[in-house]
């Protein structure tokens, strides 16, 4: 392990992917089990996500799932990657995180995004429109105000007011600028477009304004990392997600993750093959030695203080093995531990 890797935190994000033939309940329980394993392996954080109306994803209520994860663990930080703020009233979000922080003090993170749904139907069901994402910065300021007790309404967020729950901004599109102006840590992906990622990181650092939440820029880079005994086995871990994304791009619906062998036996159209191969490219995948070298390059290129791993696959045992191998590569748990 190099000095660069040794001073970098490594964390995990699980999207509660449903596997073909499985159930949403099983996917959610798998997330909780993975959190226990991530804690045992020494990962710094374990985050869960928010998706609505997606057949292949069970994680629709991140603060509820975060409560289950926090209750099943004792040390790992627990949070959201993220709560999509335009979908909710900031007061309600503050109350939810206030409850989480009150129950699990010093362990809760508040990752916030600006997405408003995957399809027009989902946005209508949520009572939202694409343009609602444009209000993200104002919604973020309102949310943070509830914790400080500065709302002009005279209402107080209970039990959030006076608590400190570290906020993070998921930097999709304009998110890097919003995070910089608010003086908040930023989470940025994905690994498949390193040039775009570096531009976002540079823009964030250049525009950062110190705040009570963060005195200096803090960068978390996020993406898929797959580790196995051979390069071929690591690549196969990527196959189910690559096909499900291809299905979503060509049919408009993200399905449960299929077995890799089923995908590899499939006859694809030219367009499907193009999207599928693109979905396999650009991630960090390989043996422990190969991944260590690529992570060294990634951290050196971005100056990131933390890497958030988001790997999904059909084979649950292979996924657990990947996280275990990665923990050996990075010495998870050896970096500094403050939030």
């Amino acid at each position: 392990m190099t000095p660069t890797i040794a001073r970098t935190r490594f964390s995990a994000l699980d999207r509660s992917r449903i596997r073909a033939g499985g159930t949403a309940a099983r996917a959610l329980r798998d997330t909780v089990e993975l959190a226990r394993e991530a804690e045992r392996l020494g990962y710094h954080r374990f985050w869960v996500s928010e998706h609505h109306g997606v057949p292949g994803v069970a994680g629709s209520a991140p603060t509820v799932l975060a409560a289950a994860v926090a209750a099943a663990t004792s040390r790992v930080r627990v949070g959201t990657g993220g709560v999509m703020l335009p979908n909710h009233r900031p007061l309600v979000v503050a109350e939810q995180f206030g409850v989480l922080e009150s129950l699990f003090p010093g362990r809760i993170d508040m990752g916030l995004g600006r997405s408003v749904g995957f399809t027009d139907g989902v946005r209508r069901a949520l009572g939202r429109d694409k343009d609602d994402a444009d209000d993200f910065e104002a919604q973020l300021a309102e949310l943070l105000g509830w914790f400080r007790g500065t709302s002009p309404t005279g209402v107080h967020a209970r039990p959030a007011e006076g608590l400190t729950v570290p906020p993070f901004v998921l930097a999709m599109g304009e998110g890097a600028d919003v995070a910089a102006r608010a003086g908040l840590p930023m989470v940025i992906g994905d690994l498949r477009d390193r040039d775009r990622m570096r531009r976002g990181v540079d823009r964030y650092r250049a525009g950062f304004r110190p705040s009570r939440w963060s005195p200096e820029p803090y960068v978390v880079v996020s993406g898929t990392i797959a580790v196995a005994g051979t390069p071929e086995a690591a690549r196969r871990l990527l196959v189910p997600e690559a096909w499900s994304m291809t299905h979503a791009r060509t049919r408009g619906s993200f399905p449960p993750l299929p077995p890799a062998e089923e995908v590899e036996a499939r006859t694809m159209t030219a367009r499907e093959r193009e999207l599928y191969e693109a979905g396999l490219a650009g991630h960090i995948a390989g043996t422990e030695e190969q991944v260590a070298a690529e992570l060294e390059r990634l951290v050196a290129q971005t100056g990131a203080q933390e890497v958030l791993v988001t790997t999904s696959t059909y084979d649950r045992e292979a996924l657990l093995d990947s996280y275990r191998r990665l923990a050996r590569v990075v010495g998870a748990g050896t970096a500094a531990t403050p939030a």
Side-chain angles (χ1 to χ4, degrees), residues 124-185:
R124 285 195 300 271
L126 291 169
R128 296 294 183 263
D129 188 81
K130 284 184 178 181
D131 293 340
D132 288 320
D134 296 336
D135 296 329
F136 176 66
E137 190 163 10
Q139 294 163 344
L140 177 63
E142 180 185 342
L143 172 61
L144 299 182
W146 288 116
F147 286 92
R148 297 193 300 268
T150 58
S151 171
T153 63
V155 175
H156 297 272
R158 309 292 189 197
E161 188 173 312
L163 298 180
T164 299
V165 182
F168 295 73
V169 171
L170 276 61
M172 304 300 292
E174 298 176 6
D177 297 321
V178 172
R181 288 191 291 266
L184 300 181

Side-chain angles (χ1 to χ4, degrees), residues 113-126:
R114 63 192 294 271
S115 173
V116 287
F118 182 62
T119 65
D120 289 338
V122 168
R123 287 189 286 271
R124 285 195 300 271
L126 291 169

Side-chain angles (χ1 to χ4, degrees), residues 194-238:
R194 303 286 179 89
D195 289 338
R196 182 183 180 189
M197 177 184 284
R198 284 195 297 268
R199 289 195 299 271
V201 169
D202 290 345
R203 192 168 68 248
Y204 166 70
R205 289 200 174 105
F208 186 84
R209 301 173 184 172
S211 72
R212 70 184 296 269
W213 302 100
S214 185
E216 58 188 25
Y218 188 90
V219 174
V220 183
V221 294
S222 177
T224 296
I225 302 174
V227 195
T230 66
E232 295 75 20
R235 185 180 185 277
R236 292 193 88 229
L237 283 170
L238 307 176

Side-chain angles (χ1 to χ4, degrees), residues 50 63 83-97 110 112 126-128 132 135 138-140 142-144 146-147 151 153 157:
E50 175 181 339
T63 54
V83 165
M84 296 302 147
L85 196 49
N87 294 338
H88 311 279
R89 294 302 307 167
L91 170 61
V92 175
V93 175
E95 290 170 337
Q96 290 172 346
F97 279 99
M110 185 167 58
L112 305 162
L126 291 169
R128 296 294 183 263
D132 288 320
D135 296 329
Q139 294 163 344
L140 177 63
E142 180 185 342
L143 172 61
L144 299 182
W146 288 116
F147 286 92
S151 171
T153 63

